[in-house]
Amino acid sequence: MYAAPSIQVLLDELGRLPGIGPKSAQRIAYWLLNADRDEALRLADAIVQVKNAVHFCERCFNYAQDDLCEICASPTRDATTICVVSAPHDIPPIERTAVYEGVYHVLGGALSPMEGIGPDDLRIAELMARLADGSVTEVMLATNPNVEGETTASYIARLVKPLGVKVTRLASGLPVGGDLEFADEVTLGRAIESRRTL
Amino acid sequence: MYAAPSIQVLLDELGRLPGIGPKSAQRIAYWLLNADRDEALRLADAIVQVKNAVHFCERCFNYAQDDLCEICASPTRDATTICVVSAPHDIPPIERTAVYEGVYHVLGGALSPMEGIGPDDLRIAELMARLADGSVTEVMLATNPNVEGETTASYIARLVKPLGVKVTRLASGLPVGGDLEFADEVTLGRAIESRRTL
C-alpha cells in the first residue's frame, strides 16, 4: 500500500520462496535496496545463470551443468554402488556426511497411489537400464522414511533383487544426539527392532 | 564441492542475504532449480527492476519510484507532521500500525562519534529546510531507542525547538502483551518513569 510498485513486486516474489515470511521478505528487500547495485544484481544474475545452465544429468538425473553431473563425472566415485533418492535436494545432505563414495540415481518423486504417481512416473526404467551391464553391485535405497518412500523402496527392491544385485536401505532409528524421552513411538519401535548386538 | 558451479554461485549469493543461513540458501536454491523457468526468472527480474527504478524520494529520502515517494505524493497524508526515522526500513513498521497519518524524513543513519558519523553525514540540513516555511507543526522523533538513536533525537530536538515546532519522541516502555517478569531493567525503569495517571 505504501511501498513503491517495484518494491511491492520484489516483496511478493521474495515471499513466495520457501521459508521466507513477510518479515524476512521485507528484511531481504531492504537489504537489496540498500546494497550496491552490482552486489544486488549478482543475485539476479545467479538466478538467471542457474536457470540457463542447469539441466538434468543424463545418467543420474541430478542437476548438472554439463552432460554429466559433478558426481557422475568424477573419476574418484565408486560407480559400482548406486544410491537411489527421490529428488536432487536429497543428495547434498548425503554428500555432507562424507560417508558415501558411490554414485546416485534420482527418481524424480516417490510412488503415491493417492496422488496418482505410479512406477512409470518415476525414473525406474532408467535405473534398471543402468543395472543391465552387471557392473553395479549394490543399490542403496535412500528414499524418505515415510509411507511413499518405503513403498517406493519395496517396489524397487522387488525389481532389483532378481538381478543378483545387493539391495540395501538406510537404517531407521534414534537420531544421534537425540533424546530417548522425546523420540516418537514409531522411530523408537524401529530402533528396538533394528537393535545391534554389541 | 559436489554442486554444479552455477548452483554454487547461487548458494553463495543467497547465503549473503540477511537471515539466510546455508540450509535456507540450499532450500531456496533447490526451489528455484525445481521451479518453472518463468517463475524463477520473475524473482531475478524483480531485483533488476527494483535496482533500476528505485531511488530516494527527493523530499523525504524514503525509497521512491517517482520523484516523490508514495507517502509524500499522497494527498491524504498530513504534511504538517514529520516523523524522523534513521532508515527507510523503519517506515513500514510505523505504517503497519495505521496510527500515523503524517509524512516522514529519513536521516540515513544516526549520530555515532564511535563510528565517526556526525550531523553532516545525516540529512539534518534537509530536515531543517523542510521546516523553513513554517507549515510543519510537529516533528516526531522515531530514531531507535538506543544510544545512537537517543543522541540523534536530542540533537535534532535542540535544533528544532527554537523554531517553535512541537518536538515529540516515541514512548519507551513495556511491549504490549509482554511479560513484566521478563522485562529488562532499563525498559522497566523507563516504563516506571513514564507511568501514566489513570
Side-chain angles (χ1 to χ4, degrees):
Chain A
M1 104 250 200
Y2 51 83
S6 60
I7 298 179
Q8 193 56 54
V9 169
L10 179 60
L11 288 169
D12 293 344
E13 291 300 323
L14 289 169
R16 290 168 50 246
L17 298 175
I20 303 294
K23 287 210 172 174
S24 302
Q26 188 174 300
R27 196 166 164 210
I28 294 171
Y30 276 97
W31 185 90
L32 288 166
L33 280 161
N34 190 51
D36 285 348
R37 189 183 152 79
D38 286 354
E39 194 169 26
L41 294 189
R42 280 217 306 273
L43 172 57
D45 193 50
I47 297 169
V48 173
Q49 288 302 321
V50 109
K51 295 308 278 187
N52 283 343
V54 174
H55 45 256
F56 289 126
C57 170
E58 62 183 31
R59 186 178 296 161
C60 79
F61 304 96
N62 182 16
Y63 289 121
Q65 204 160 327
D66 301 311
D67 291 344
L68 293 180
C69 73
E70 308 274 304
I71 295 169
C72 284
S74 167
T76 66
R77 304 296 295 226
D78 169 15
T80 67
T81 305
I82 296 181
C83 172
V84 175
V85 294
S86 292
H89 64 232
D90 295 326
I91 295 178
I94 296 175
E95 287 294 294
R96 274 197 297 270
T97 66
V99 164
Y100 181 68
E101 294 175 342
V103 293
Y104 292 90
H105 188 83
V106 180
L107 295 172
L111 292 176
S112 173
M114 296 289 285
E115 295 178 39
I117 299 174
D120 294 344
D121 300 311
L122 305 180
R123 300 193 195 92
I124 293 176
E126 289 86 344
L127 173 64
M128 299 312 288
R130 291 178 70 182
L131 304 179
D133 72 357
S135 65
V136 174
T137 55
E138 179 178 349
V139 168
M140 180 173 104
L141 299 167
T143 51
N144 285 320
N146 57 23
V147 175
E148 291 79 11
E150 296 293 358
T151 308
T152 309
S154 304
Y155 182 88
I156 294 176
R158 233 176 5 243
L159 289 180
V160 174
K161 272 185 192 164
L163 304 179
V165 175
K166 183 175 165 191
V167 179
T168 57
R169 178 92 177 100
L170 291 190
S172 283
L174 297 176
V176 177
D179 210 324
L180 203 130
E181 185 182 356
F182 303 117
D184 67 282
E185 49 270 51
V186 181
T187 300
L188 190 51
R190 192 71 68 88
I192 295 169
E193 286 164 11
S194 309
R195 65 192 178 277
R196 292 172 297 147
T197 306
L198 295 180
Chain B
M1 103 249 199
Y2 50 84
S6 61
I7 298 180
Q8 193 55 55
V9 169
L10 179 60
L11 287 169
D12 293 344
E13 290 300 323
L14 289 170
R16 291 168 51 246
L17 298 175
I20 303 294
K23 288 210 173 174
S24 302
Q26 188 174 299
R27 196 167 163 208
I28 294 170
Y30 277 96
W31 185 90
L32 288 165
L33 280 161
N34 190 51
D36 285 346
R37 189 183 152 81
D38 286 355
E39 194 169 27
L41 294 189
R42 280 217 307 274
L43 172 58
D45 192 51
I47 296 168
V48 173
Q49 288 302 320
V50 108
K51 295 308 279 188
N52 284 342
V54 174
H55 44 256
F56 289 126
C57 169
E58 61 183 29
R59 188 178 294 160
C60 78
F61 304 96
N62 182 15
Y63 289 121
Q65 204 160 328
D66 301 313
D67 291 344
L68 293 181
C69 73
E70 309 273 305
I71 295 170
C72 284
S74 167
T76 65
R77 304 295 296 227
D78 170 15
T80 67
T81 304
I82 295 181
C83 171
V84 176
V85 293
S86 291
H89 64 231
D90 295 326
I91 295 178
I94 296 175
E95 287 295 292
R96 275 197 296 270
T97 66
V99 164
Y100 181 67
E101 294 175 340
V103 293
Y104 291 90
H105 188 83
V106 180
L107 294 172
L111 293 176
S112 172
M114 296 288 285
E115 296 178 39
I117 301 174
D120 294 344
D121 301 309
L122 306 180
R123 300 192 196 94
I124 294 177
E126 290 85 344
L127 172 64
M128 299 312 288
R130 291 178 69 181
L131 304 178
D133 71 357
S135 64
V136 174
T137 57
E138 179 178 349
V139 169
M140 179 172 106
L141 299 167
T143 50
N144 285 320
N146 55 24
V147 174
E148 290 80 10
E150 296 293 358
T151 307
T152 309
S154 303
Y155 182 89
I156 295 176
R158 230 172 11 240
L159 289 180
V160 174
K161 272 185 191 161
L163 305 178
V165 175
K166 183 176 167 190
V167 179
T168 57
R169 178 90 177 102
L170 292 189
S172 283
L174 297 175
V176 178
D179 209 323
L180 203 129
E181 185 182 357
F182 303 117
D184 67 283
E185 49 271 48
V186 180
T187 301
L188 188 52
R190 191 72 68 87
I192 292 169
E193 285 165 11
S194 308
R195 63 192 180 278
R196 294 171 298 146
T197 306
L198 296 181

